mmCIF file of all heavy atoms in Angstrom:
data_model
loop_
_atom_site.group_PDB
_atom_site.id
_atom_site.type_symbol
_atom_site.label_atom_id
_atom_site.label_comp_id
_atom_site.label_asym_id
_atom_site.label_seq_id
_atom_site.Cartn_x
_atom_site.Cartn_y
_atom_site.Cartn_z
ATOM 1 N N CYS A 1 -0.170 7.898 -1.727
ATOM 2 C CA CYS A 1 -0.426 6.422 -1.886
ATOM 3 C C CYS A 1 -1.384 6.048 -0.795
ATOM 4 O O CYS A 1 -1.575 6.753 0.151
ATOM 5 C CB CYS A 1 0.904 5.668 -1.661
ATOM 6 S SG CYS A 1 0.905 4.035 -2.320
ATOM 7 N N GLY A 2 -2.034 4.912 -0.903
ATOM 8 C CA GLY A 2 -2.944 4.385 0.113
ATOM 9 C C GLY A 2 -2.975 2.909 0.122
ATOM 10 O O GLY A 2 -2.335 2.273 -0.843
ATOM 11 N N ALA A 3 -3.582 2.381 1.042
ATOM 12 C CA ALA A 3 -3.716 0.807 1.107
ATOM 13 C C ALA A 3 -4.978 0.458 1.915
ATOM 14 O O ALA A 3 -5.511 1.154 2.837
ATOM 15 C CB ALA A 3 -2.436 0.257 1.793
ATOM 16 N N VAL A 4 -5.586 -0.744 1.667
ATOM 17 C CA VAL A 4 -6.651 -1.443 2.285
ATOM 18 C C VAL A 4 -5.995 -2.792 2.762
ATOM 19 O O VAL A 4 -5.417 -3.506 1.895
ATOM 20 C CB VAL A 4 -7.776 -1.619 1.586
ATOM 21 C CG1 VAL A 4 -8.955 -2.111 2.469
ATOM 22 C CG2 VAL A 4 -8.147 -0.257 0.846
ATOM 23 N N THR A 5 -6.243 -3.199 3.978
ATOM 24 C CA THR A 5 -5.677 -4.509 4.503
ATOM 25 C C THR A 5 -6.843 -5.311 5.170
ATOM 26 O O THR A 5 -7.729 -4.561 5.864
ATOM 27 C CB THR A 5 -4.592 -4.340 5.457
ATOM 28 O OG1 THR A 5 -3.622 -3.541 4.813
ATOM 29 C CG2 THR A 5 -4.069 -5.603 5.935
ATOM 30 N N GLY A 6 -7.020 -6.500 4.991
ATOM 31 C CA GLY A 6 -8.033 -7.292 5.657
ATOM 32 C C GLY A 6 -7.858 -8.855 5.387
ATOM 33 O O GLY A 6 -6.777 -9.234 5.061
ATOM 34 N N SER A 7 -9.028 -9.534 5.298
ATOM 35 C CA SER A 7 -9.005 -10.923 4.963
ATOM 36 C C SER A 7 -8.753 -11.050 3.492
ATOM 37 O O SER A 7 -9.096 -10.109 2.661
ATOM 38 C CB SER A 7 -10.275 -11.566 5.321
ATOM 39 O OG SER A 7 -11.378 -10.977 4.488
ATOM 40 N N SER A 8 -8.254 -12.165 3.017
ATOM 41 C CA SER A 8 -8.059 -12.441 1.638
ATOM 42 C C SER A 8 -9.340 -12.359 0.749
ATOM 43 O O SER A 8 -9.403 -11.861 -0.375
ATOM 44 C CB SER A 8 -7.456 -13.847 1.373
ATOM 45 O OG SER A 8 -6.085 -13.898 2.048
ATOM 46 N N GLN A 9 -10.349 -12.800 1.380
ATOM 47 C CA GLN A 9 -11.664 -12.765 0.617
ATOM 48 C C GLN A 9 -12.265 -11.481 0.322
ATOM 49 O O GLN A 9 -12.651 -11.056 -0.742
ATOM 50 C CB GLN A 9 -12.672 -13.563 1.373
ATOM 51 C CG GLN A 9 -14.051 -13.679 0.668
ATOM 52 C CD GLN A 9 -15.131 -14.574 1.600
ATOM 53 O OE1 GLN A 9 -14.801 -14.887 2.683
ATOM 54 N NE2 GLN A 9 -16.327 -14.700 1.014
ATOM 55 N N ILE A 10 -12.210 -10.602 1.348
ATOM 56 C CA ILE A 10 -12.569 -9.163 1.262
ATOM 57 C C ILE A 10 -11.731 -8.387 0.251
ATOM 58 O O ILE A 10 -12.121 -7.600 -0.544
ATOM 59 C CB ILE A 10 -12.719 -8.443 2.550
ATOM 60 C CG1 ILE A 10 -13.781 -9.187 3.497
ATOM 61 C CG2 ILE A 10 -13.409 -7.035 2.229
ATOM 62 C CD1 ILE A 10 -13.865 -8.646 4.788
ATOM 63 N N ILE A 11 -10.415 -8.537 0.454
ATOM 64 C CA ILE A 11 -9.359 -7.863 -0.410
ATOM 65 C C ILE A 11 -9.469 -8.245 -1.815
ATOM 66 O O ILE A 11 -9.334 -7.384 -2.700
ATOM 67 C CB ILE A 11 -7.905 -8.069 0.196
ATOM 68 C CG1 ILE A 11 -7.846 -7.457 1.550
ATOM 69 C CG2 ILE A 11 -6.915 -7.510 -0.758
ATOM 70 C CD1 ILE A 11 -8.053 -6.003 1.647
ATOM 71 N N GLN A 12 -9.863 -9.518 -2.120
ATOM 72 C CA GLN A 12 -10.026 -9.956 -3.401
ATOM 73 C C GLN A 12 -11.115 -9.124 -4.191
ATOM 74 O O GLN A 12 -10.981 -8.693 -5.338
ATOM 75 C CB GLN A 12 -10.282 -11.436 -3.544
ATOM 76 C CG GLN A 12 -10.422 -12.065 -4.974
ATOM 77 C CD GLN A 12 -9.069 -11.880 -5.707
ATOM 78 O OE1 GLN A 12 -7.941 -12.187 -5.188
ATOM 79 N NE2 GLN A 12 -9.108 -11.444 -6.974
ATOM 80 N N LYS A 13 -12.241 -8.913 -3.449
ATOM 81 C CA LYS A 13 -13.365 -8.080 -4.060
ATOM 82 C C LYS A 13 -12.834 -6.672 -4.285
ATOM 83 O O LYS A 13 -13.151 -6.094 -5.357
ATOM 84 C CB LYS A 13 -14.425 -7.946 -3.025
ATOM 85 C CG LYS A 13 -15.263 -9.220 -2.842
ATOM 86 C CD LYS A 13 -16.288 -9.099 -1.738
ATOM 87 C CE LYS A 13 -17.224 -7.946 -1.894
ATOM 88 N NZ LYS A 13 -18.264 -7.710 -0.744
ATOM 89 N N ILE A 14 -12.054 -5.940 -3.431
ATOM 90 C CA ILE A 14 -11.543 -4.705 -3.658
ATOM 91 C C ILE A 14 -10.545 -4.704 -4.824
ATOM 92 O O ILE A 14 -10.493 -3.747 -5.739
ATOM 93 C CB ILE A 14 -10.847 -4.206 -2.372
ATOM 94 C CG1 ILE A 14 -11.957 -4.089 -1.161
ATOM 95 C CG2 ILE A 14 -10.358 -2.798 -2.582
ATOM 96 C CD1 ILE A 14 -11.380 -3.791 0.104
ATOM 97 N N TYR A 15 -9.584 -5.736 -4.874
ATOM 98 C CA TYR A 15 -8.739 -5.821 -6.009
ATOM 99 C C TYR A 15 -9.434 -5.917 -7.336
ATOM 100 O O TYR A 15 -9.122 -5.324 -8.263
ATOM 101 C CB TYR A 15 -7.758 -7.098 -5.745
ATOM 102 C CG TYR A 15 -6.945 -7.370 -7.059
ATOM 103 C CD1 TYR A 15 -5.862 -6.618 -7.354
ATOM 104 C CD2 TYR A 15 -7.349 -8.417 -7.855
ATOM 105 C CE1 TYR A 15 -5.152 -7.008 -8.407
ATOM 106 C CE2 TYR A 15 -6.474 -8.674 -8.906
ATOM 107 C CZ TYR A 15 -5.416 -7.909 -9.294
ATOM 108 O OH TYR A 15 -4.703 -8.188 -10.437
ATOM 109 N N ASN A 16 -10.476 -6.688 -7.458
ATOM 110 C CA ASN A 16 -11.240 -6.808 -8.682
ATOM 111 C C ASN A 16 -11.793 -5.504 -9.084
ATOM 112 O O ASN A 16 -11.834 -5.218 -10.307
ATOM 113 C CB ASN A 16 -12.362 -7.846 -8.476
ATOM 114 C CG ASN A 16 -11.887 -9.237 -8.230
ATOM 115 O OD1 ASN A 16 -10.667 -9.534 -8.600
ATOM 116 N ND2 ASN A 16 -12.691 -10.145 -7.770
ATOM 117 N N LEU A 17 -12.283 -4.659 -8.128
ATOM 118 C CA LEU A 17 -12.813 -3.358 -8.434
ATOM 119 C C LEU A 17 -11.681 -2.389 -8.879
ATOM 120 O O LEU A 17 -11.832 -1.654 -9.881
ATOM 121 C CB LEU A 17 -13.549 -2.806 -7.144
ATOM 122 C CG LEU A 17 -14.122 -1.312 -7.391
ATOM 123 C CD1 LEU A 17 -15.284 -1.349 -8.443
ATOM 124 C CD2 LEU A 17 -14.541 -0.866 -5.965
ATOM 125 N N GLN A 18 -10.582 -2.614 -8.156
ATOM 126 C CA GLN A 18 -9.371 -1.681 -8.421
ATOM 127 C C GLN A 18 -8.924 -1.906 -9.918
ATOM 128 O O GLN A 18 -8.550 -0.923 -10.554
ATOM 129 C CB GLN A 18 -8.255 -2.034 -7.459
ATOM 130 C CG GLN A 18 -7.001 -1.163 -7.703
ATOM 131 C CD GLN A 18 -5.917 -1.582 -6.853
ATOM 132 O OE1 GLN A 18 -5.320 -2.669 -6.963
ATOM 133 N NE2 GLN A 18 -5.527 -0.699 -5.771
ATOM 134 N N VAL A 19 -8.899 -3.172 -10.420
ATOM 135 C CA VAL A 19 -8.409 -3.438 -11.717
ATOM 136 C C VAL A 19 -9.300 -2.644 -12.722
ATOM 137 O O VAL A 19 -8.852 -2.201 -13.695
ATOM 138 C CB VAL A 19 -8.379 -4.950 -11.999
ATOM 139 C CG1 VAL A 19 -8.107 -5.204 -13.493
ATOM 140 C CG2 VAL A 19 -7.265 -5.570 -11.180
ATOM 141 N N LEU A 20 -10.524 -2.526 -12.384
ATOM 142 C CA LEU A 20 -11.485 -1.870 -13.350
ATOM 143 C C LEU A 20 -11.415 -0.374 -13.308
ATOM 144 O O LEU A 20 -11.555 0.193 -14.390
ATOM 145 C CB LEU A 20 -12.896 -2.423 -13.092
ATOM 146 C CG LEU A 20 -13.228 -3.900 -13.306
ATOM 147 C CD1 LEU A 20 -14.640 -4.229 -12.864
ATOM 148 C CD2 LEU A 20 -12.953 -4.319 -14.735
ATOM 149 N N LEU A 21 -11.381 0.113 -12.086
ATOM 150 C CA LEU A 21 -11.319 1.513 -11.885
ATOM 151 C C LEU A 21 -9.977 2.143 -12.099
ATOM 152 O O LEU A 21 -9.902 3.383 -12.284
ATOM 153 C CB LEU A 21 -11.725 1.837 -10.444
ATOM 154 C CG LEU A 21 -13.251 1.553 -9.993
ATOM 155 C CD1 LEU A 21 -13.572 2.011 -8.627
ATOM 156 C CD2 LEU A 21 -14.287 2.122 -11.024
ATOM 157 N N GLY A 22 -8.958 1.322 -12.035
ATOM 158 C CA GLY A 22 -7.608 1.941 -12.106
ATOM 159 C C GLY A 22 -7.021 2.744 -10.948
ATOM 160 O O GLY A 22 -6.429 3.798 -11.209
ATOM 161 N N THR A 23 -7.350 2.263 -9.821
ATOM 162 C CA THR A 23 -6.955 3.058 -8.658
ATOM 163 C C THR A 23 -5.648 2.643 -8.010
ATOM 164 O O THR A 23 -5.310 2.890 -6.859
ATOM 165 C CB THR A 23 -8.038 3.016 -7.506
ATOM 166 O OG1 THR A 23 -8.268 1.698 -7.163
ATOM 167 C CG2 THR A 23 -9.334 3.603 -8.070
ATOM 168 N N GLN A 24 -4.865 1.790 -8.643
ATOM 169 C CA GLN A 24 -3.686 1.102 -8.111
ATOM 170 C C GLN A 24 -2.548 2.190 -7.946
ATOM 171 O O GLN A 24 -2.537 3.170 -8.599
ATOM 172 C CB GLN A 24 -3.183 -0.005 -9.049
ATOM 173 C CG GLN A 24 -2.543 0.427 -10.348
ATOM 174 C CD GLN A 24 -3.618 0.869 -11.363
ATOM 175 O OE1 GLN A 24 -4.739 0.538 -11.250
ATOM 176 N NE2 GLN A 24 -3.309 1.733 -12.265
ATOM 177 N N SER A 25 -1.659 1.970 -6.930
ATOM 178 C CA SER A 25 -0.498 2.807 -6.771
ATOM 179 C C SER A 25 0.413 2.520 -7.878
ATOM 180 O O SER A 25 0.608 1.505 -8.494
ATOM 181 C CB SER A 25 0.245 2.469 -5.418
ATOM 182 O OG SER A 25 0.508 1.149 -5.366
ATOM 183 N N ASP A 26 1.172 3.636 -8.286
ATOM 184 C CA ASP A 26 2.105 3.474 -9.334
ATOM 185 C C ASP A 26 3.498 2.910 -8.812
ATOM 186 O O ASP A 26 3.723 2.941 -7.574
ATOM 187 C CB ASP A 26 2.446 4.814 -10.017
ATOM 188 C CG ASP A 26 3.085 5.867 -9.026
ATOM 189 O OD1 ASP A 26 4.354 5.866 -9.034
ATOM 190 O OD2 ASP A 26 2.447 6.545 -8.352
ATOM 191 N N PRO A 27 4.353 2.454 -9.767
ATOM 192 C CA PRO A 27 5.535 1.740 -9.204
ATOM 193 C C PRO A 27 6.451 2.592 -8.354
ATOM 194 O O PRO A 27 6.925 2.130 -7.261
ATOM 195 C CB PRO A 27 6.222 1.298 -10.553
ATOM 196 C CG PRO A 27 5.161 1.228 -11.539
ATOM 197 C CD PRO A 27 4.103 2.224 -11.108
ATOM 198 N N PHE A 28 6.694 3.843 -8.866
ATOM 199 C CA PHE A 28 7.699 4.736 -8.036
ATOM 200 C C PHE A 28 7.053 5.060 -6.683
ATOM 201 O O PHE A 28 7.875 4.990 -5.625
ATOM 202 C CB PHE A 28 7.937 6.026 -8.894
ATOM 203 C CG PHE A 28 9.044 6.858 -8.202
ATOM 204 C CD1 PHE A 28 10.106 6.315 -7.688
ATOM 205 C CD2 PHE A 28 9.056 8.165 -8.256
ATOM 206 C CE1 PHE A 28 11.074 7.079 -7.272
ATOM 207 C CE2 PHE A 28 9.900 9.027 -7.790
ATOM 208 C CZ PHE A 28 11.114 8.508 -7.243
ATOM 209 N N SER A 29 5.731 5.406 -6.583
ATOM 210 C CA SER A 29 5.161 5.699 -5.279
ATOM 211 C C SER A 29 5.202 4.513 -4.341
ATOM 212 O O SER A 29 5.545 4.671 -3.207
ATOM 213 C CB SER A 29 3.801 6.165 -5.505
ATOM 214 O OG SER A 29 3.687 7.440 -6.143
ATOM 215 N N SER A 30 4.956 3.398 -4.922
ATOM 216 C CA SER A 30 5.028 2.131 -4.124
ATOM 217 C C SER A 30 6.515 1.945 -3.559
ATOM 218 O O SER A 30 6.625 1.569 -2.447
ATOM 219 C CB SER A 30 4.566 0.902 -4.997
ATOM 220 O OG SER A 30 3.240 1.110 -5.471
ATOM 221 N N TRP A 31 7.473 2.082 -4.466
ATOM 222 C CA TRP A 31 8.838 1.959 -4.073
ATOM 223 C C TRP A 31 9.175 2.997 -2.834
ATOM 224 O O TRP A 31 9.826 2.659 -1.981
ATOM 225 C CB TRP A 31 9.759 2.271 -5.232
ATOM 226 C CG TRP A 31 11.211 2.004 -5.028
ATOM 227 C CD1 TRP A 31 11.855 0.901 -5.072
ATOM 228 C CD2 TRP A 31 12.112 3.104 -4.535
ATOM 229 N NE1 TRP A 31 13.243 1.137 -4.607
ATOM 230 C CE2 TRP A 31 13.335 2.430 -4.416
ATOM 231 C CE3 TRP A 31 12.004 4.426 -4.385
ATOM 232 C CZ2 TRP A 31 14.489 3.150 -3.997
ATOM 233 C CZ3 TRP A 31 13.181 5.025 -4.025
ATOM 234 C CH2 TRP A 31 14.335 4.509 -3.874
ATOM 235 N N LEU A 32 8.689 4.186 -3.082
ATOM 236 C CA LEU A 32 9.069 5.339 -2.157
ATOM 237 C C LEU A 32 8.471 4.925 -0.833
ATOM 238 O O LEU A 32 8.985 5.120 0.358
ATOM 239 C CB LEU A 32 8.562 6.653 -2.583
ATOM 240 C CG LEU A 32 9.293 7.376 -3.637
ATOM 241 C CD1 LEU A 32 8.536 8.541 -4.158
ATOM 242 C CD2 LEU A 32 10.722 7.779 -3.077
ATOM 243 N N VAL A 33 7.182 4.411 -0.792
ATOM 244 C CA VAL A 33 6.485 4.122 0.471
ATOM 245 C C VAL A 33 7.156 2.899 1.214
ATOM 246 O O VAL A 33 7.284 2.930 2.360
ATOM 247 C CB VAL A 33 5.014 3.908 0.173
ATOM 248 C CG1 VAL A 33 4.394 3.385 1.594
ATOM 249 C CG2 VAL A 33 4.306 5.235 -0.265
ATOM 250 N N CYS A 34 7.560 1.961 0.381
ATOM 251 C CA CYS A 34 8.198 0.827 1.005
ATOM 252 C C CYS A 34 9.481 1.347 1.735
ATOM 253 O O CYS A 34 9.788 1.009 2.734
ATOM 254 C CB CYS A 34 8.639 -0.255 -0.071
ATOM 255 S SG CYS A 34 7.294 -1.306 -0.616
ATOM 256 N N ARG A 35 10.290 2.086 0.950
ATOM 257 C CA ARG A 35 11.416 2.802 1.649
ATOM 258 C C ARG A 35 11.132 3.569 2.844
ATOM 259 O O ARG A 35 11.814 3.373 3.896
ATOM 260 C CB ARG A 35 12.119 3.765 0.611
ATOM 261 C CG ARG A 35 13.224 4.461 1.060
ATOM 262 C CD ARG A 35 13.440 5.876 0.642
ATOM 263 N NE ARG A 35 12.157 6.623 0.985
ATOM 264 C CZ ARG A 35 11.885 7.841 0.539
ATOM 265 N NH1 ARG A 35 12.878 8.440 -0.212
ATOM 266 N NH2 ARG A 35 10.928 8.526 0.997
ATOM 267 N N GLY A 36 9.909 4.288 2.819
ATOM 268 C CA GLY A 36 9.677 5.086 4.015
ATOM 269 C C GLY A 36 9.383 4.309 5.232
ATOM 270 O O GLY A 36 9.672 4.428 6.376
ATOM 271 N N ILE A 37 8.600 3.066 5.025
ATOM 272 C CA ILE A 37 8.080 2.260 6.037
ATOM 273 C C ILE A 37 9.266 1.561 6.763
ATOM 274 O O ILE A 37 9.144 1.187 8.032
ATOM 275 C CB ILE A 37 6.985 1.232 5.498
ATOM 276 C CG1 ILE A 37 5.778 1.949 5.134
ATOM 277 C CG2 ILE A 37 6.737 0.127 6.523
ATOM 278 C CD1 ILE A 37 4.812 0.913 4.451
ATOM 279 N N ARG A 38 10.393 1.407 6.055
ATOM 280 C CA ARG A 38 11.466 0.893 6.796
ATOM 281 C C ARG A 38 11.873 1.504 8.031
ATOM 282 O O ARG A 38 12.411 0.758 8.980
ATOM 283 C CB ARG A 38 12.728 0.632 5.822
ATOM 284 C CG ARG A 38 12.496 0.135 4.478
ATOM 285 C CD ARG A 38 11.973 -1.328 4.571
ATOM 286 N NE ARG A 38 11.700 -1.952 3.213
ATOM 287 C CZ ARG A 38 11.051 -2.936 2.969
ATOM 288 N NH1 ARG A 38 10.489 -3.695 4.017
ATOM 289 N NH2 ARG A 38 10.829 -3.370 1.791
ATOM 290 N N THR A 39 11.700 2.819 8.106
ATOM 291 C CA THR A 39 12.070 3.519 9.401
ATOM 292 C C THR A 39 10.925 3.874 10.246
ATOM 293 O O THR A 39 11.008 4.683 11.039
ATOM 294 C CB THR A 39 12.861 4.828 8.891
ATOM 295 O OG1 THR A 39 12.016 5.586 8.183
ATOM 296 C CG2 THR A 39 14.184 4.412 8.162
ATOM 297 N N LEU A 40 9.712 3.348 9.886
ATOM 298 C CA LEU A 40 8.398 3.836 10.564
ATOM 299 C C LEU A 40 8.588 3.561 12.116
ATOM 300 O O LEU A 40 8.126 4.445 12.804
ATOM 301 C CB LEU A 40 7.326 3.023 10.034
ATOM 302 C CG LEU A 40 5.900 3.235 10.588
ATOM 303 C CD1 LEU A 40 5.481 4.616 10.452
ATOM 304 C CD2 LEU A 40 4.894 2.225 10.067
ATOM 305 N N ASP A 41 8.988 2.457 12.523
ATOM 306 C CA ASP A 41 9.007 2.059 13.878
ATOM 307 C C ASP A 41 9.805 3.203 14.819
ATOM 308 O O ASP A 41 9.450 3.577 15.843
ATOM 309 C CB ASP A 41 9.509 0.726 14.194
ATOM 310 C CG ASP A 41 9.318 0.248 15.538
ATOM 311 O OD1 ASP A 41 8.229 0.402 16.136
ATOM 312 O OD2 ASP A 41 10.382 -0.193 16.215
ATOM 313 N N LEU A 42 10.982 3.575 14.054
ATOM 314 C CA LEU A 42 11.832 4.485 14.691
ATOM 315 C C LEU A 42 11.221 5.877 14.833
ATOM 316 O O LEU A 42 11.127 6.686 15.714
ATOM 317 C CB LEU A 42 13.121 4.620 14.016
ATOM 318 C CG LEU A 42 13.972 3.363 13.940
ATOM 319 C CD1 LEU A 42 15.180 3.590 12.955
ATOM 320 C CD2 LEU A 42 14.474 2.944 15.308
ATOM 321 N N ARG A 43 10.658 6.280 13.596
ATOM 322 C CA ARG A 43 10.015 7.664 13.573
ATOM 323 C C ARG A 43 8.799 7.813 14.516
ATOM 324 O O ARG A 43 8.784 8.897 15.064
ATOM 325 C CB ARG A 43 9.663 7.913 12.117
ATOM 326 C CG ARG A 43 10.795 8.132 11.128
ATOM 327 C CD ARG A 43 10.303 8.517 9.647
ATOM 328 N NE ARG A 43 9.781 7.418 9.037
ATOM 329 C CZ ARG A 43 8.452 7.221 8.711
ATOM 330 N NH1 ARG A 43 7.553 8.168 9.241
ATOM 331 N NH2 ARG A 43 8.099 6.187 8.063
ATOM 332 N N VAL A 44 7.820 6.869 14.503
ATOM 333 C CA VAL A 44 6.590 7.194 15.047
ATOM 334 C C VAL A 44 6.776 7.149 16.673
ATOM 335 O O VAL A 44 5.994 7.985 17.464
ATOM 336 C CB VAL A 44 5.507 6.126 14.720
ATOM 337 C CG1 VAL A 44 5.077 6.257 13.299
ATOM 338 C CG2 VAL A 44 5.890 4.701 14.951
ATOM 339 N N LYS A 45 7.696 6.397 17.155
ATOM 340 C CA LYS A 45 8.146 6.397 18.562
ATOM 341 C C LYS A 45 8.630 7.824 18.933
ATOM 342 O O LYS A 45 8.175 8.344 20.010
ATOM 343 C CB LYS A 45 9.063 5.303 18.902
ATOM 344 C CG LYS A 45 8.409 3.943 18.874
ATOM 345 C CD LYS A 45 9.420 2.865 19.191
ATOM 346 C CE LYS A 45 8.766 1.452 19.181
ATOM 347 N NZ LYS A 45 9.740 0.430 19.422
ATOM 348 N N ARG A 46 9.443 8.368 18.136
ATOM 349 C CA ARG A 46 10.068 9.668 18.500
ATOM 350 C C ARG A 46 8.922 10.855 18.302
ATOM 351 O O ARG A 46 8.850 11.701 19.183
ATOM 352 C CB ARG A 46 11.195 10.062 17.699
ATOM 353 C CG ARG A 46 11.745 11.338 17.911
ATOM 354 C CD ARG A 46 13.251 11.505 17.623
ATOM 355 N NE ARG A 46 13.762 12.807 17.701
ATOM 356 C CZ ARG A 46 15.031 13.181 17.915
ATOM 357 N NH1 ARG A 46 15.953 12.145 17.879
ATOM 358 N NH2 ARG A 46 15.411 14.171 17.970
#
């Protein structure tokens, strides 16, 4: 999975392209990454 973060204006341009190219993350991978990030702060410090 991957992500791009920034201002709403720039991200909207990328989203519009993503809809056409079909580069979106799938539901299960999105769910897995959300689950993983919940423990990110604990993991990266160790």
Side-chain angles (χ1 to χ4, degrees):
C1 201
V4 190
T5 304
S7 70
S8 297
Q9 182 179 7
I10 302 176
I11 293 300
Q12 185 64 47
K13 288 174 58 180
I14 299 172
Y15 169 77
N16 293 341
L17 177 68
Q18 180 185 71
V19 170
L20 297 177
L21 296 183
T23 60
Q24 71 286 332
S25 59
D26 68 89
F28 188 38
S29 295
S30 300
W31 182 88
L32 283 170
V33 174
C34 281
R35 177 216 57 182
I37 291 175
R38 305 303 179 194
T39 61
L40 176 63
D41 189 50
L42 300 173
R43 288 185 285 105
V44 296
K45 287 178 179 177
R46 178 152 176 162

